[in-house]
Every structure is written in structure tokens, then in C-alpha cells.
Amino acid sequence: MSRKDFQGAVFKALADDRRREILDLLKDGPKTTGELCAHFKRVDRCTVMQHLGVLEGADLVIVKKSGRNRWNYLNVVPVQEIYDRWISQYARPSVELLTRLKQDLE
């Protein structure tokens, strides 16, 4: 997969509310698929598994199997790459402007 396709997969994965909620749940530490499914009371297991598949395909979730359990770990590297490529370069001029404004006011 090319870098462009990979970043597209990350944006696609982040576009869905439930997938972002799954990533938020994983911020505190790894969770089994069963634990993630239990969190979504109104969504069936198959749908949660599909969301996890999209997240795994975008490399935002790393899966490790241990016996009958499937552990899901958050991988923040793709988010950092998106930040480095898209957000930081657009934020820099604003930060520089605020720094100059602060210096002028002092």
C-alpha cells in the first residue's frame, strides 16, 4: 500500500464516530474484543468486529491473540504521521503569529 493510500485509510478509519470511540477506549490500555463489544450495548458483535477490521487495516489497532482472547492495542504512530504531514505545517504560522503578538504586547 502506498503512503497516500495508507493515509487515506487512516482518515477513513477516523471518519466514523464509533471507530473514534473504540480508539478512545483503547487509550487507557489494551482491551479484549469482548470488552469492546460489551461497551456498545446497541451494536451487535459483528458490527464492532467490522469497525475493528477497518481500524486494524489502517494500522490504528494492533491485534494480539492469546488463547481464546483477542487483545486490541492502540497504535498512535499513524495519528502522529497525520499530524506531522497535515496539522503541524498549518498550525506553525498561527503559533508564530501568536508568539509575535505576545512579544509585541510585552
Side-chain angles (χ1 to χ4, degrees):
M1 181 182 296
S2 73
R3 180 177 170 87
K4 182 178 175 182
D5 291 340
F6 178 73
Q7 288 185 344
V10 173
F11 279 114
K12 177 185 173 188
L14 294 174
D16 185 86
D17 292 341
R18 285 196 182 117
R19 290 194 283 268
R20 290 191 307 270
E21 189 171 350
I22 290 170
L23 295 176
D24 286 339
L25 291 169
L26 296 175
K27 279 193 297 190
D28 298 329
K31 304 256 185 300
T32 65
T33 300
E35 290 172 323
L36 293 172
C37 290
H39 176 78
F40 295 96
K41 307 267 187 253
R42 301 175 62 106
V43 180
D44 63 41
R45 183 178 180 85
C46 183
T47 302
V48 174
M49 291 293 295
Q50 288 174 338
H51 285 302
L52 284 169
V54 172
L55 292 168
E56 189 177 357
D59 203 26
L60 290 164
V61 170
I62 298 170
V63 176
K64 305 255 181 183
K65 293 181 182 177
S66 175
R68 294 184 56 160
N69 290 320
R70 185 177 187 265
W71 287 91
N72 301 279
Y73 294 81
L74 175 63
N75 181 16
V76 296
V77 172
V79 176
Q80 182 65 48
E81 290 174 349
I82 293 294
Y83 174 82
D84 292 344
R85 168 68 174 90
W86 292 98
I87 298 168
S88 66
Q89 70 179 342
Y90 295 110
R92 189 173 302 119
S94 299
V95 171
E96 290 171 357
L97 177 65
L98 289 173
T99 302
R100 282 197 309 271
L101 178 62
K102 180 182 180 260
Q103 290 170 349
D104 290 346
L105 291 173
E106 291 174 344

